[in-house]
Amino acid sequence: DIQMTQSPSSLSASVGDRVTITCRASESIIKYLNWYQQKPGKGPKLLIYAASTLHSGVPSRFSGSGSGTEFTLTISSLQPEDFATYYCQQSYNSPQTFGRGTKVEIK
Amino acid sequence: QVQLQESGPGLVKPSQTLSLTCTVSNGSIASGDYCWSWIRQHPQKGLEWIGYSYYSGSAFYNPSLRSRVRISVDTSKNQFSLHLKSVTAADTAVYYCARFVDTTMVQTFDYWGQGTLVTVSS
């Protein structure tokens, strides 16, 4: 199985901060990398697919980059509704695998 | 937009079969571009893909669960189901259904249900 490693596992930030989350794959996944946002008690919501394409309706302050084994999710200016847990997921190989998540908390 | 809703028992006894249904609304389940998926999340842990099925019935499973799991699709009801047999406490988790887009350029879980907690306990 392809292992997905996210860092950091948690971070504290203030409204307006720029936030960057990293996801590393144990082998090359080209650009088959997706990012999700999950809030407590809810199912995950797709933010970005194919490493850098914004899903419909997702605010433009979210962006993704990377290829191969290293990827980043950036929130350019953190908003109150962005405090949540973020997961990366690879769809290059079966089984699909997810990172362990990055919890973004209010400083 | 497409909506998915899980339903089924919240409590299952050890060694029995866990069965859940996902109802899809605002979209047809009978499309070759999508796989109908189940994913679970153990308490305070990450997400684990269980498997998915095309509407034709062709299904793919996580090797770690393959011997115990079956996913079926009912196009007449616009629903799909998960059956996980011989459950133990380790199967206690929140179970999500999701739609997986399977095209050349896009492979992603684009819509998810809200999840349902299933506890395995006697």
Side-chain angles (χ1 to χ4, degrees):
Chain A
D1 298 3
I2 296 176
Q3 305 302 314
M4 306 301 293
T5 304
Q6 282 182 241
S7 60
S9 55
S10 66
L11 64 89
S12 295
S14 301
V15 172
D17 284 354
R18 182 181 181 87
V19 169
T20 298
I21 298 168
T22 297
C23 179
R24 289 187 174 87
S26 59
E27 61 185 83
S28 176
I29 57 172
I30 310 178
K31 298 193 82 171
Y32 289 91
L33 189 284
N34 307 302
W35 290 98
Y36 303 88
Q37 176 193 68
Q38 186 178 33
K39 295 183 178 179
K42 303 289 187 181
K45 287 189 175 181
L46 176 65
L47 296 175
I48 288 170
Y49 61 91
S52 59
T53 303
L54 214 59
H55 183 52
S56 174
V58 175
S60 58
R61 62 180 180 274
F62 291 93
S63 64
S65 64
S67 64
T69 61
E70 188 150 339
F71 302 85
T72 58
L73 171 70
T74 300
I75 309 172
S76 61
S77 178
L78 198 64
Q79 298 302 299
E81 60 268 30
D82 301 337
F83 292 96
T85 300
Y86 294 84
Y87 293 93
C88 62
Q89 174 249 331
Q90 66 83 18
S91 55
Y92 178 69
N93 236 351
S94 187
Q96 318 270 345
T97 48
F98 294 82
R100 294 299 300 268
T102 296
K103 188 173 184 178
V104 177
E105 298 175 302
I106 302 172
K107 183 182 280 185
Chain B
Q1 64 182 27
V2 172
Q3 293 182 316
L4 299 94
Q5 177 68 58
E6 305 89 350
S7 59
L11 181 64
V12 180
K13 289 182 166 50
S15 80
Q16 293 191 341
T17 296
L18 179 162
S19 294
L20 296 173
T21 295
C22 183
T23 301
V24 179
S25 53
N26 298 332
S28 173
I29 205 169
S31 169
D33 287 340
Y34 305 122
C35 296
W36 302 97
S37 316
W38 289 96
I39 296 152
R40 68 182 182 180
Q41 187 169 33
H42 294 93
Q44 307 305 317
K45 292 189 178 178
L47 295 154
E48 179 183 29
W49 173 69
I50 298 170
Y52 50 44
S53 176
Y54 290 90
Y55 81 96
S56 62
S58 177
F60 301 86
Y61 303 118
N62 192 319
S64 67
L65 296 167
R66 183 177 290 141
S67 64
R68 298 194 292 131
V69 69
R70 180 172 65 87
I71 295 174
S72 59
V73 176
D74 187 339
T75 55
S76 66
K77 295 181 178 178
N78 229 37
Q79 294 177 334
F80 62 104
S81 298
L82 169 70
H83 303 279
L84 182 66
K85 64 182 182 181
S86 306
V87 297
T88 69
D91 295 308
T92 294
V94 175
Y95 285 77
Y96 297 99
C97 59
R99 187 178 80 170
F100 183 76
V101 182
D102 184 22
T103 66
T104 303
M105 299 302 296
V106 182
Q107 295 196 339
T108 189
F109 298 100
D110 63 345
Y111 292 102
W112 298 58
Q114 66 180 19
T116 186
L117 174 63
V118 178
T119 302
V120 178
S121 174
S122 55

